[in-house]
Amino acid sequence: MSFRERLEEVCRGVDGAVACSLMGVDGIEVETHVQDGGGLDVKSLLVEYSGVLRSAREAAEAHEAGGVDELAISTDKLQAVVRLVTPEYFMVVALLPGANTGKARYLLRVTAPKLKAEL
């Protein structure tokens, strides 16, 4: 199964999902599936969130809090759940407000090892 098919599977599995992406922590997109951006430039926003992930990782390491496995960001128009796949890659799913973030977290958690095996 391709990266895109796995990302589409995550989006189909969560009502309110608008996009799912596999990215490098450097912000370079490997693959992205966008269902409905809701008028937002979701791809660019998800690239910017890679900087937030880097900052969270650096802060956790600096304070010896351990590694960051997951990160959630909520705004008025969009929620994003980030899950590390490897130290160099992460998955992120973008959701409309009110979407089932628990199901999104679950699908990222079970899909991440599959993507890791394919990287």
Side-chain angles (χ1 to χ4, degrees), residues 2-95:
S2 72
F3 290 144
R4 179 173 290 277
E5 290 170 325
R6 296 217 186 267
L7 300 175
E8 288 174 4
E9 195 174 70
V10 171
C11 282
R12 280 194 311 270
V14 183
D15 289 337
V18 296
C20 190
S21 186
L22 174 64
M23 305 183 82
V25 294
D26 56 3
I28 297 174
E29 168 192 347
V30 174
E31 187 67 74
T32 299
H33 169 71
V34 178
Q35 286 194 152
D36 174 17
L40 299 172
D41 184 2
V42 176
K43 279 181 132 182
S44 294
L45 180 62
L46 297 180
V47 169
E48 295 295 332
Y49 282 168
S50 66
V52 175
L53 174 61
R54 279 193 310 273
S55 294
R57 287 175 72 180
E58 290 168 6
E61 289 170 9
H63 295 282
E64 300 177 6
V68 173
D69 292 325
E70 189 176 270
L71 181 68
I73 302 167
S74 294
T75 67
D76 292 340
K77 296 182 181 180
L78 197 71
Q79 298 175 17
V81 181
V82 177
R83 176 106 188 148
L84 246 38
V85 175
T86 71
E88 298 85 24
Y89 295 97
F90 68 93
M91 292 180 69
V92 56
V93 61
L95 310 160

